PDB file of all heavy atoms in Angstrom:
ATOM      1  N   GLY A   1     160.812 270.734 -49.394  1.00 94.00           N
ATOM      2  CA  GLY A   1     159.852 270.167 -48.456  1.00 94.00           C
ATOM      3  C   GLY A   1     160.319 270.265 -47.018  1.00 94.00           C
ATOM      4  O   GLY A   1     161.528 270.270 -46.741  1.00 94.00           O
ATOM      5  N   VAL A   2     159.362 270.332 -46.093  1.00 95.00           N
ATOM      6  CA  VAL A   2     159.689 270.462 -44.675  1.00 95.00           C
ATOM      7  C   VAL A   2     160.418 269.230 -44.138  1.00 95.00           C
ATOM      8  O   VAL A   2     161.463 269.368 -43.492  1.00 95.00           O
ATOM      9  CB  VAL A   2     158.412 270.768 -43.849  1.00 95.00           C
ATOM     10  CG1 VAL A   2     158.701 270.690 -42.353  1.00 95.00           C
ATOM     11  CG2 VAL A   2     157.855 272.141 -44.220  1.00 95.00           C
ATOM     12  N   PRO A   3     159.919 268.004 -44.373  1.00 95.00           N
ATOM     13  CA  PRO A   3     160.637 266.844 -43.827  1.00 95.00           C
ATOM     14  C   PRO A   3     162.074 266.738 -44.338  1.00 95.00           C
ATOM     15  O   PRO A   3     162.984 266.447 -43.554  1.00 95.00           O
ATOM     16  CB  PRO A   3     159.793 265.652 -44.292  1.00 95.00           C
ATOM     17  CG  PRO A   3     158.430 266.213 -44.520  1.00 95.00           C
ATOM     18  CD  PRO A   3     158.668 267.597 -45.043  1.00 95.00           C
ATOM     19  N   ALA A   4     162.289 266.968 -45.623  1.00 96.00           N
ATOM     20  CA  ALA A   4     163.643 266.871 -46.176  1.00 96.00           C
ATOM     21  C   ALA A   4     164.570 267.889 -45.527  1.00 96.00           C
ATOM     22  O   ALA A   4     165.737 267.592 -45.228  1.00 96.00           O
ATOM     23  CB  ALA A   4     163.610 267.069 -47.689  1.00 96.00           C
ATOM     24  N   THR A   5     164.066 269.094 -45.318  1.00 95.00           N
ATOM     25  CA  THR A   5     164.877 270.123 -44.660  1.00 95.00           C
ATOM     26  C   THR A   5     165.216 269.722 -43.237  1.00 95.00           C
ATOM     27  O   THR A   5     166.355 269.898 -42.776  1.00 95.00           O
ATOM     28  CB  THR A   5     164.142 271.467 -44.673  1.00 95.00           C
ATOM     29  OG1 THR A   5     163.784 271.812 -46.024  1.00 95.00           O
ATOM     30  CG2 THR A   5     165.001 272.580 -44.089  1.00 95.00           C
ATOM     31  N   GLN A   6     164.248 269.165 -42.525  1.00 96.00           N
ATOM     32  CA  GLN A   6     164.512 268.735 -41.154  1.00 96.00           C
ATOM     33  C   GLN A   6     165.481 267.560 -41.108  1.00 96.00           C
ATOM     34  O   GLN A   6     166.355 267.514 -40.237  1.00 96.00           O
ATOM     35  CB  GLN A   6     163.195 268.395 -40.454  1.00 96.00           C
ATOM     36  CG  GLN A   6     162.347 269.631 -40.171  1.00 96.00           C
ATOM     37  CD  GLN A   6     161.040 269.299 -39.478  1.00 96.00           C
ATOM     38  OE1 GLN A   6     160.343 268.376 -39.885  1.00 96.00           O
ATOM     39  NE2 GLN A   6     160.719 270.047 -38.441  1.00 96.00           N
ATOM     40  N   PHE A   7     165.342 266.623 -42.017  1.00 97.00           N
ATOM     41  CA  PHE A   7     166.295 265.511 -42.066  1.00 97.00           C
ATOM     42  C   PHE A   7     167.709 266.022 -42.352  1.00 97.00           C
ATOM     43  O   PHE A   7     168.691 265.535 -41.770  1.00 97.00           O
ATOM     44  CB  PHE A   7     165.882 264.486 -43.116  1.00 97.00           C
ATOM     45  CG  PHE A   7     164.726 263.622 -42.712  1.00 97.00           C
ATOM     46  CD1 PHE A   7     163.634 263.454 -43.553  1.00 97.00           C
ATOM     47  CD2 PHE A   7     164.723 262.952 -41.482  1.00 97.00           C
ATOM     48  CE1 PHE A   7     162.562 262.656 -43.184  1.00 97.00           C
ATOM     49  CE2 PHE A   7     163.655 262.154 -41.108  1.00 97.00           C
ATOM     50  CZ  PHE A   7     162.564 262.002 -41.962  1.00 97.00           C
ATOM     51  N   ALA A   8     167.828 267.003 -43.234  1.00 96.00           N
ATOM     52  CA  ALA A   8     169.147 267.584 -43.522  1.00 96.00           C
ATOM     53  C   ALA A   8     169.715 268.253 -42.277  1.00 96.00           C
ATOM     54  O   ALA A   8     170.924 268.143 -41.999  1.00 96.00           O
ATOM     55  CB  ALA A   8     169.034 268.585 -44.672  1.00 96.00           C
ATOM     56  N   ALA A   9     168.860 268.932 -41.515  1.00 96.00           N
ATOM     57  CA  ALA A   9     169.310 269.571 -40.274  1.00 96.00           C
ATOM     58  C   ALA A   9     169.800 268.513 -39.283  1.00 96.00           C
ATOM     59  O   ALA A   9     170.819 268.709 -38.605  1.00 96.00           O
ATOM     60  CB  ALA A   9     168.177 270.401 -39.675  1.00 96.00           C
ATOM     61  N   VAL A  10     169.079 267.409 -39.192  1.00 96.00           N
ATOM     62  CA  VAL A  10     169.480 266.315 -38.291  1.00 96.00           C
ATOM     63  C   VAL A  10     170.864 265.792 -38.674  1.00 96.00           C
ATOM     64  O   VAL A  10     171.740 265.616 -37.808  1.00 96.00           O
ATOM     65  CB  VAL A  10     168.435 265.181 -38.327  1.00 96.00           C
ATOM     66  CG1 VAL A  10     168.980 263.915 -37.674  1.00 96.00           C
ATOM     67  CG2 VAL A  10     167.146 265.626 -37.651  1.00 96.00           C
ATOM     68  N   VAL A  11     171.076 265.548 -39.948  1.00 97.00           N
ATOM     69  CA  VAL A  11     172.371 265.030 -40.410  1.00 97.00           C
ATOM     70  C   VAL A  11     173.480 266.022 -40.101  1.00 97.00           C
ATOM     71  O   VAL A  11     174.569 265.643 -39.616  1.00 97.00           O
ATOM     72  CB  VAL A  11     172.318 264.725 -41.921  1.00 97.00           C
ATOM     73  CG1 VAL A  11     173.713 264.413 -42.455  1.00 97.00           C
ATOM     74  CG2 VAL A  11     171.372 263.569 -42.198  1.00 97.00           C
ATOM     75  N   LEU A  12     173.229 267.310 -40.344  1.00 96.00           N
ATOM     76  CA  LEU A  12     174.251 268.320 -40.097  1.00 96.00           C
ATOM     77  C   LEU A  12     174.614 268.384 -38.614  1.00 96.00           C
ATOM     78  O   LEU A  12     175.803 268.455 -38.254  1.00 96.00           O
ATOM     79  CB  LEU A  12     173.747 269.682 -40.584  1.00 96.00           C
ATOM     80  CG  LEU A  12     174.727 270.847 -40.452  1.00 96.00           C
ATOM     81  CD1 LEU A  12     176.017 270.545 -41.209  1.00 96.00           C
ATOM     82  CD2 LEU A  12     174.094 272.129 -40.980  1.00 96.00           C
ATOM     83  N   ILE A  13     173.621 268.341 -37.737  1.00 95.00           N
ATOM     84  CA  ILE A  13     173.878 268.373 -36.299  1.00 95.00           C
ATOM     85  C   ILE A  13     174.749 267.183 -35.881  1.00 95.00           C
ATOM     86  O   ILE A  13     175.724 267.332 -35.134  1.00 95.00           O
ATOM     87  CB  ILE A  13     172.557 268.378 -35.515  1.00 95.00           C
ATOM     88  CG1 ILE A  13     171.827 269.707 -35.708  1.00 95.00           C
ATOM     89  CG2 ILE A  13     172.803 268.133 -34.032  1.00 95.00           C
ATOM     90  CD1 ILE A  13     170.404 269.701 -35.173  1.00 95.00           C
ATOM     91  N   ILE A  14     174.396 265.998 -36.364  1.00 96.00           N
ATOM     92  CA  ILE A  14     175.130 264.792 -35.965  1.00 96.00           C
ATOM     93  C   ILE A  14     176.557 264.812 -36.516  1.00 96.00           C
ATOM     94  O   ILE A  14     177.508 264.473 -35.802  1.00 96.00           O
ATOM     95  CB  ILE A  14     174.375 263.541 -36.433  1.00 96.00           C
ATOM     96  CG1 ILE A  14     173.046 263.407 -35.652  1.00 96.00           C
ATOM     97  CG2 ILE A  14     175.224 262.285 -36.258  1.00 96.00           C
ATOM     98  CD1 ILE A  14     172.150 262.299 -36.145  1.00 96.00           C
ATOM     99  N   VAL A  15     176.729 265.226 -37.769  1.00 96.00           N
ATOM    100  CA  VAL A  15     178.064 265.242 -38.378  1.00 96.00           C
ATOM    101  C   VAL A  15     178.970 266.229 -37.651  1.00 96.00           C
ATOM    102  O   VAL A  15     180.129 265.907 -37.317  1.00 96.00           O
ATOM    103  CB  VAL A  15     177.964 265.571 -39.877  1.00 96.00           C
ATOM    104  CG1 VAL A  15     179.353 265.884 -40.450  1.00 96.00           C
ATOM    105  CG2 VAL A  15     177.342 264.419 -40.640  1.00 96.00           C
ATOM    106  N   VAL A  16     178.472 267.429 -37.402  1.00 94.00           N
ATOM    107  CA  VAL A  16     179.306 268.433 -36.723  1.00 94.00           C
ATOM    108  C   VAL A  16     179.670 267.963 -35.315  1.00 94.00           C
ATOM    109  O   VAL A  16     180.811 268.113 -34.857  1.00 94.00           O
ATOM    110  CB  VAL A  16     178.580 269.792 -36.680  1.00 94.00           C
ATOM    111  CG1 VAL A  16     179.321 270.774 -35.777  1.00 94.00           C
ATOM    112  CG2 VAL A  16     178.459 270.371 -38.086  1.00 94.00           C
ATOM    113  N   SER A  17     178.716 267.365 -34.611  1.00 94.00           N
ATOM    114  CA  SER A  17     179.008 266.865 -33.263  1.00 94.00           C
ATOM    115  C   SER A  17     180.034 265.729 -33.306  1.00 94.00           C
ATOM    116  O   SER A  17     180.909 265.651 -32.445  1.00 94.00           O
ATOM    117  CB  SER A  17     177.711 266.384 -32.594  1.00 94.00           C
ATOM    118  OG  SER A  17     176.810 267.453 -32.424  1.00 94.00           O
ATOM    119  N   ALA A  18     179.923 264.864 -34.311  1.00 94.00           N
ATOM    120  CA  ALA A  18     180.900 263.785 -34.440  1.00 94.00           C
ATOM    121  C   ALA A  18     182.297 264.334 -34.694  1.00 94.00           C
ATOM    122  O   ALA A  18     183.289 263.826 -34.152  1.00 94.00           O
ATOM    123  CB  ALA A  18     180.481 262.840 -35.569  1.00 94.00           C
ATOM    124  N   LEU A  19     182.402 265.376 -35.503  1.00 94.00           N
ATOM    125  CA  LEU A  19     183.712 265.993 -35.767  1.00 94.00           C
ATOM    126  C   LEU A  19     184.313 266.573 -34.499  1.00 94.00           C
ATOM    127  O   LEU A  19     185.545 266.594 -34.339  1.00 94.00           O
ATOM    128  CB  LEU A  19     183.570 267.080 -36.841  1.00 94.00           C
ATOM    129  CG  LEU A  19     183.246 266.586 -38.254  1.00 94.00           C
ATOM    130  CD1 LEU A  19     183.018 267.764 -39.192  1.00 94.00           C
ATOM    131  CD2 LEU A  19     184.357 265.690 -38.787  1.00 94.00           C
ATOM    132  N   CYS A  20     183.452 267.052 -33.597  1.00 91.00           N
ATOM    133  CA  CYS A  20     183.962 267.609 -32.341  1.00 91.00           C
ATOM    134  C   CYS A  20     184.598 266.559 -31.445  1.00 91.00           C
ATOM    135  O   CYS A  20     185.312 266.890 -30.493  1.00 91.00           O
ATOM    136  CB  CYS A  20     182.827 268.302 -31.578  1.00 91.00           C
ATOM    137  SG  CYS A  20     182.252 269.829 -32.340  1.00 91.00           S
ATOM    138  N   LEU A  21     184.344 265.288 -31.719  1.00 92.00           N
ATOM    139  CA  LEU A  21     184.933 264.212 -30.920  1.00 92.00           C
ATOM    140  C   LEU A  21     186.353 263.864 -31.347  1.00 92.00           C
ATOM    141  O   LEU A  21     187.010 263.050 -30.681  1.00 92.00           O
ATOM    142  CB  LEU A  21     184.060 262.957 -31.014  1.00 92.00           C
ATOM    143  CG  LEU A  21     182.686 263.048 -30.355  1.00 92.00           C
ATOM    144  CD1 LEU A  21     181.863 261.806 -30.703  1.00 92.00           C
ATOM    145  CD2 LEU A  21     182.814 263.208 -28.849  1.00 92.00           C
ATOM    146  N   ILE A  22     186.832 264.446 -32.432  1.00 93.00           N
ATOM    147  CA  ILE A  22     188.151 264.090 -32.939  1.00 93.00           C
ATOM    148  C   ILE A  22     189.268 264.452 -31.958  1.00 93.00           C
ATOM    149  O   ILE A  22     190.139 263.625 -31.688  1.00 93.00           O
ATOM    150  CB  ILE A  22     188.394 264.730 -34.324  1.00 93.00           C
ATOM    151  CG1 ILE A  22     187.450 264.097 -35.357  1.00 93.00           C
ATOM    152  CG2 ILE A  22     189.850 264.555 -34.750  1.00 93.00           C
ATOM    153  CD1 ILE A  22     187.505 264.746 -36.720  1.00 93.00           C
ATOM    154  N   PRO A  23     189.295 265.672 -31.391  1.00 90.00           N
ATOM    155  CA  PRO A  23     190.380 265.977 -30.440  1.00 90.00           C
ATOM    156  C   PRO A  23     190.314 265.043 -29.224  1.00 90.00           C
ATOM    157  O   PRO A  23     189.257 264.867 -28.612  1.00 90.00           O
ATOM    158  CB  PRO A  23     190.103 267.429 -30.032  1.00 90.00           C
ATOM    159  CG  PRO A  23     189.279 267.987 -31.141  1.00 90.00           C
ATOM    160  CD  PRO A  23     188.445 266.849 -31.634  1.00 90.00           C
ATOM    161  N   ARG A  24     191.443 264.467 -28.867  1.00 90.00           N
ATOM    162  CA  ARG A  24     191.478 263.490 -27.773  1.00 90.00           C
ATOM    163  C   ARG A  24     191.017 264.095 -26.457  1.00 90.00           C
ATOM    164  O   ARG A  24     190.326 263.432 -25.664  1.00 90.00           O
ATOM    165  CB  ARG A  24     192.899 262.935 -27.641  1.00 90.00           C
ATOM    166  CG  ARG A  24     193.052 261.889 -26.557  1.00 90.00           C
ATOM    167  CD  ARG A  24     194.467 261.333 -26.531  1.00 90.00           C
ATOM    168  NE  ARG A  24     194.615 260.354 -25.454  1.00 90.00           N
ATOM    169  CZ  ARG A  24     194.942 260.665 -24.207  1.00 90.00           C
ATOM    170  NH1 ARG A  24     195.139 261.945 -23.895  1.00 90.00           N
ATOM    171  NH2 ARG A  24     195.058 259.738 -23.286  1.00 90.00           N
ATOM    172  N   ASP A  25     191.387 265.354 -26.195  1.00 86.00           N
ATOM    173  CA  ASP A  25     191.038 265.978 -24.915  1.00 86.00           C
ATOM    174  C   ASP A  25     189.528 266.047 -24.711  1.00 86.00           C
ATOM    175  O   ASP A  25     189.044 265.985 -23.575  1.00 86.00           O
ATOM    176  CB  ASP A  25     191.618 267.390 -24.831  1.00 86.00           C
ATOM    177  CG  ASP A  25     193.121 267.372 -24.596  1.00 86.00           C
ATOM    178  OD1 ASP A  25     193.627 266.303 -24.205  1.00 86.00           O
ATOM    179  OD2 ASP A  25     193.771 268.407 -24.799  1.00 86.00           O
ATOM    180  N   ILE A  26     188.777 266.184 -25.783  1.00 86.00           N
ATOM    181  CA  ILE A  26     187.314 266.236 -25.664  1.00 86.00           C
ATOM    182  C   ILE A  26     186.812 264.957 -25.000  1.00 86.00           C
ATOM    183  O   ILE A  26     185.876 264.982 -24.194  1.00 86.00           O
ATOM    184  CB  ILE A  26     186.669 266.398 -27.053  1.00 86.00           C
ATOM    185  CG1 ILE A  26     187.057 267.743 -27.670  1.00 86.00           C
ATOM    186  CG2 ILE A  26     185.144 266.262 -26.975  1.00 86.00           C
ATOM    187  CD1 ILE A  26     186.515 268.937 -26.956  1.00 86.00           C
ATOM    188  N   ARG A  27     187.453 263.847 -25.317  1.00 85.00           N
ATOM    189  CA  ARG A  27     187.002 262.540 -24.810  1.00 85.00           C
ATOM    190  C   ARG A  27     187.618 262.146 -23.479  1.00 85.00           C
ATOM    191  O   ARG A  27     187.144 261.227 -22.830  1.00 85.00           O
ATOM    192  CB  ARG A  27     187.291 261.458 -25.863  1.00 85.00           C
ATOM    193  CG  ARG A  27     186.482 261.643 -27.131  1.00 85.00           C
ATOM    194  CD  ARG A  27     186.882 260.663 -28.233  1.00 85.00           C
ATOM    195  NE  ARG A  27     188.002 261.159 -29.012  1.00 85.00           N
ATOM    196  CZ  ARG A  27     189.209 260.625 -29.020  1.00 85.00           C
ATOM    197  NH1 ARG A  27     189.469 259.560 -28.290  1.00 85.00           N
ATOM    198  NH2 ARG A  27     190.164 261.125 -29.769  1.00 85.00           N
ATOM    199  N   THR A  28     188.688 262.836 -23.064  1.00 87.00           N
ATOM    200  CA  THR A  28     189.419 262.370 -21.885  1.00 87.00           C
ATOM    201  C   THR A  28     189.371 263.306 -20.694  1.00 87.00           C
ATOM    202  O   THR A  28     189.647 262.879 -19.570  1.00 87.00           O
ATOM    203  CB  THR A  28     190.895 262.112 -22.241  1.00 87.00           C
ATOM    204  OG1 THR A  28     191.476 263.327 -22.750  1.00 87.00           O
ATOM    205  CG2 THR A  28     191.004 261.019 -23.303  1.00 87.00           C
ATOM    206  N   ILE A  29     189.061 264.579 -20.873  1.00 85.00           N
ATOM    207  CA  ILE A  29     189.007 265.512 -19.746  1.00 85.00           C
ATOM    208  C   ILE A  29     187.984 265.028 -18.727  1.00 85.00           C
ATOM    209  O   ILE A  29     186.853 264.693 -19.085  1.00 85.00           O
ATOM    210  CB  ILE A  29     188.670 266.933 -20.224  1.00 85.00           C
ATOM    211  CG1 ILE A  29     189.871 267.534 -20.949  1.00 85.00           C
ATOM    212  CG2 ILE A  29     188.244 267.829 -19.068  1.00 85.00           C
ATOM    213  CD1 ILE A  29     189.614 268.896 -21.541  1.00 85.00           C
ATOM    214  N   ARG A  30     188.396 265.004 -17.456  1.00 86.00           N
ATOM    215  CA  ARG A  30     187.536 264.514 -16.393  1.00 86.00           C
ATOM    216  C   ARG A  30     187.119 265.665 -15.482  1.00 86.00           C
ATOM    217  O   ARG A  30     187.813 266.675 -15.371  1.00 86.00           O
ATOM    218  CB  ARG A  30     188.260 263.442 -15.573  1.00 86.00           C
ATOM    219  CG  ARG A  30     188.552 262.165 -16.359  1.00 86.00           C
ATOM    220  CD  ARG A  30     189.586 261.323 -15.650  1.00 86.00           C
ATOM    221  NE  ARG A  30     189.198 261.017 -14.280  1.00 86.00           N
ATOM    222  CZ  ARG A  30     188.708 259.832 -13.889  1.00 86.00           C
ATOM    223  NH1 ARG A  30     188.545 258.873 -14.778  1.00 86.00           N
ATOM    224  NH2 ARG A  30     188.404 259.624 -12.630  1.00 86.00           N
ATOM    225  N   SER A  31     186.005 265.485 -14.818  1.00 77.00           N
ATOM    226  CA  SER A  31     185.475 266.547 -13.964  1.00 77.00           C
ATOM    227  C   SER A  31     186.339 266.787 -12.736  1.00 77.00           C
ATOM    228  O   SER A  31     186.301 267.876 -12.160  1.00 77.00           O
ATOM    229  CB  SER A  31     184.050 266.203 -13.529  1.00 77.00           C
ATOM    230  OG  SER A  31     184.031 264.969 -12.826  1.00 77.00           O
ATOM    231  N   ASP A  32     187.150 265.817 -12.323  1.00 75.00           N
ATOM    232  CA  ASP A  32     187.958 265.973 -11.123  1.00 75.00           C
ATOM    233  C   ASP A  32     189.417 266.281 -11.433  1.00 75.00           C
ATOM    234  O   ASP A  32     190.282 266.162 -10.562  1.00 75.00           O
ATOM    235  CB  ASP A  32     187.868 264.720 -10.247  1.00 75.00           C
ATOM    236  CG  ASP A  32     188.272 263.455 -11.009  1.00 75.00           C
ATOM    237  OD1 ASP A  32     188.574 263.551 -12.216  1.00 75.00           O
ATOM    238  OD2 ASP A  32     188.262 262.385 -10.387  1.00 75.00           O
ATOM    239  N   ASP A  33     189.721 266.721 -12.662  1.00 69.00           N
ATOM    240  CA  ASP A  33     191.101 267.015 -13.023  1.00 69.00           C
ATOM    241  C   ASP A  33     191.634 268.273 -12.355  1.00 69.00           C
ATOM    242  O   ASP A  33     192.807 268.388 -12.080  1.00 69.00           O
ATOM    243  CB  ASP A  33     191.232 267.189 -14.546  1.00 69.00           C
ATOM    244  CG  ASP A  33     191.170 265.859 -15.277  1.00 69.00           C
ATOM    245  OD1 ASP A  33     191.469 264.837 -14.641  1.00 69.00           O
ATOM    246  OD2 ASP A  33     190.806 265.858 -16.451  1.00 69.00           O
ATOM    247  N   ILE A  34     190.757 269.252 -12.129  1.00 58.00           N
ATOM    248  CA  ILE A  34     191.185 270.544 -11.608  1.00 58.00           C
ATOM    249  C   ILE A  34     190.342 270.892 -10.391  1.00 58.00           C
ATOM    250  O   ILE A  34     189.125 270.691 -10.395  1.00 58.00           O
ATOM    251  CB  ILE A  34     191.064 271.649 -12.677  1.00 58.00           C
ATOM    252  CG1 ILE A  34     192.119 271.434 -13.759  1.00 58.00           C
ATOM    253  CG2 ILE A  34     191.209 273.038 -12.071  1.00 58.00           C
ATOM    254  CD1 ILE A  34     192.123 272.479 -14.837  1.00 58.00           C
ATOM    255  N   VAL A  35     191.004 271.416  -9.361  1.00 47.00           N
ATOM    256  CA  VAL A  35     190.297 271.864  -8.163  1.00 47.00           C
ATOM    257  C   VAL A  35     190.314 273.379  -8.148  1.00 47.00           C
ATOM    258  O   VAL A  35     191.381 273.992  -8.126  1.00 47.00           O
ATOM    259  CB  VAL A  35     190.948 271.314  -6.877  1.00 47.00           C
ATOM    260  CG1 VAL A  35     190.216 271.823  -5.653  1.00 47.00           C
ATOM    261  CG2 VAL A  35     190.972 269.794  -6.910  1.00 47.00           C
ATOM    262  N   LEU A  36     189.163 273.990  -8.133  1.00 51.00           N
ATOM    263  CA  LEU A  36     189.057 275.445  -8.143  1.00 51.00           C
ATOM    264  C   LEU A  36     189.230 275.977  -6.729  1.00 51.00           C
ATOM    265  O   LEU A  36     188.593 275.507  -5.795  1.00 51.00           O
ATOM    266  CB  LEU A  36     187.698 275.868  -8.697  1.00 51.00           C
ATOM    267  CG  LEU A  36     187.464 277.370  -8.834  1.00 51.00           C
ATOM    268  CD1 LEU A  36     188.400 277.935  -9.899  1.00 51.00           C
ATOM    269  CD2 LEU A  36     186.019 277.641  -9.204  1.00 51.00           C
ATOM    270  N   THR A  37     190.134 276.958  -6.564  1.00 43.00           N
ATOM    271  CA  THR A  37     190.298 277.588  -5.263  1.00 43.00           C
ATOM    272  C   THR A  37     189.637 278.951  -5.228  1.00 43.00           C
ATOM    273  O   THR A  37     188.821 279.246  -4.386  1.00 43.00           O
ATOM    274  CB  THR A  37     191.794 277.717  -4.918  1.00 43.00           C
ATOM    275  OG1 THR A  37     192.463 278.412  -5.973  1.00 43.00           O
ATOM    276  CG2 THR A  37     192.422 276.329  -4.754  1.00 43.00           C
ATOM    277  N   GLU A  38     190.007 279.786  -6.176  1.00 52.00           N
ATOM    278  CA  GLU A  38     189.367 281.086  -6.329  1.00 52.00           C
ATOM    279  C   GLU A  38     189.031 281.241  -7.801  1.00 52.00           C
ATOM    280  O   GLU A  38     189.579 280.532  -8.636  1.00 52.00           O
ATOM    281  CB  GLU A  38     190.310 282.214  -5.890  1.00 52.00           C
ATOM    282  CG  GLU A  38     190.603 282.200  -4.401  1.00 52.00           C
ATOM    283  CD  GLU A  38     191.521 283.345  -4.008  1.00 52.00           C
ATOM    284  OE1 GLU A  38     191.905 284.124  -4.906  1.00 52.00           O
ATOM    285  OE2 GLU A  38     191.834 283.452  -2.830  1.00 52.00           O
ATOM    286  N   PRO A  39     188.098 282.152  -8.148  1.00 51.00           N
ATOM    287  CA  PRO A  39     187.738 282.294  -9.560  1.00 51.00           C
ATOM    288  C   PRO A  39     188.960 282.462 -10.455  1.00 51.00           C
ATOM    289  O   PRO A  39     189.789 283.335 -10.238  1.00 51.00           O
ATOM    290  CB  PRO A  39     186.855 283.550  -9.562  1.00 51.00           C
ATOM    291  CG  PRO A  39     186.265 283.582  -8.184  1.00 51.00           C
ATOM    292  CD  PRO A  39     187.349 283.056  -7.276  1.00 51.00           C
ATOM    293  N   GLY A  40     189.098 281.572 -11.416  1.00 48.00           N
ATOM    294  CA  GLY A  40     190.196 281.647 -12.365  1.00 48.00           C
ATOM    295  C   GLY A  40     191.458 280.945 -11.916  1.00 48.00           C
ATOM    296  O   GLY A  40     192.418 280.864 -12.655  1.00 48.00           O
ATOM    297  N   ASP A  41     191.497 280.448 -10.667  1.00 52.00           N
ATOM    298  CA  ASP A  41     192.695 279.779 -10.156  1.00 52.00           C
ATOM    299  C   ASP A  41     192.473 278.293 -10.066  1.00 52.00           C
ATOM    300  O   ASP A  41     191.383 277.834  -9.783  1.00 52.00           O
ATOM    301  CB  ASP A  41     193.051 280.309  -8.759  1.00 52.00           C
ATOM    302  CG  ASP A  41     193.480 281.761  -8.799  1.00 52.00           C
ATOM    303  OD1 ASP A  41     193.922 282.217  -9.869  1.00 52.00           O
ATOM    304  OD2 ASP A  41     193.346 282.431  -7.776  1.00 52.00           O
ATOM    305  N   ALA A  42     193.523 277.528 -10.262  1.00 49.00           N
ATOM    306  CA  ALA A  42     193.459 276.087 -10.114  1.00 49.00           C
ATOM    307  C   ALA A  42     194.733 275.620  -9.444  1.00 49.00           C
ATOM    308  O   ALA A  42     195.767 276.288  -9.536  1.00 49.00           O
ATOM    309  CB  ALA A  42     193.283 275.401 -11.462  1.00 49.00           C
ATOM    310  N   VAL A  43     194.667 274.509  -8.755  1.00 47.00           N
ATOM    311  CA  VAL A  43     195.846 273.962  -8.095  1.00 47.00           C
ATOM    312  C   VAL A  43     196.169 272.617  -8.712  1.00 47.00           C
ATOM    313  O   VAL A  43     195.306 271.939  -9.247  1.00 47.00           O
ATOM    314  CB  VAL A  43     195.619 273.808  -6.571  1.00 47.00           C
ATOM    315  CG1 VAL A  43     195.368 275.151  -5.932  1.00 47.00           C
ATOM    316  CG2 VAL A  43     194.474 272.853  -6.296  1.00 47.00           C
ATOM    317  N   LEU A  44     197.452 272.233  -8.610  1.00 46.00           N
ATOM    318  CA  LEU A  44     197.862 270.936  -9.135  1.00 46.00           C
ATOM    319  C   LEU A  44     197.255 269.833  -8.281  1.00 46.00           C
ATOM    320  O   LEU A  44     197.055 269.995  -7.078  1.00 46.00           O
ATOM    321  CB  LEU A  44     199.385 270.827  -9.106  1.00 46.00           C
ATOM    322  CG  LEU A  44     200.135 271.734 -10.080  1.00 46.00           C
ATOM    323  CD1 LEU A  44     201.627 271.621  -9.841  1.00 46.00           C
ATOM    324  CD2 LEU A  44     199.796 271.398 -11.512  1.00 46.00           C
TER     325      LEU A  44
END
């Protein structure tokens, strides 16, 4: 059935996304951690 298939897709999306939260860096990296100077370069 269509609804059952869609509900299964919803569960799969949520489970996979939740697993992506396991690595600590995913949750802690901040937008201001790195300053870009030139393409591919970063400064401390």
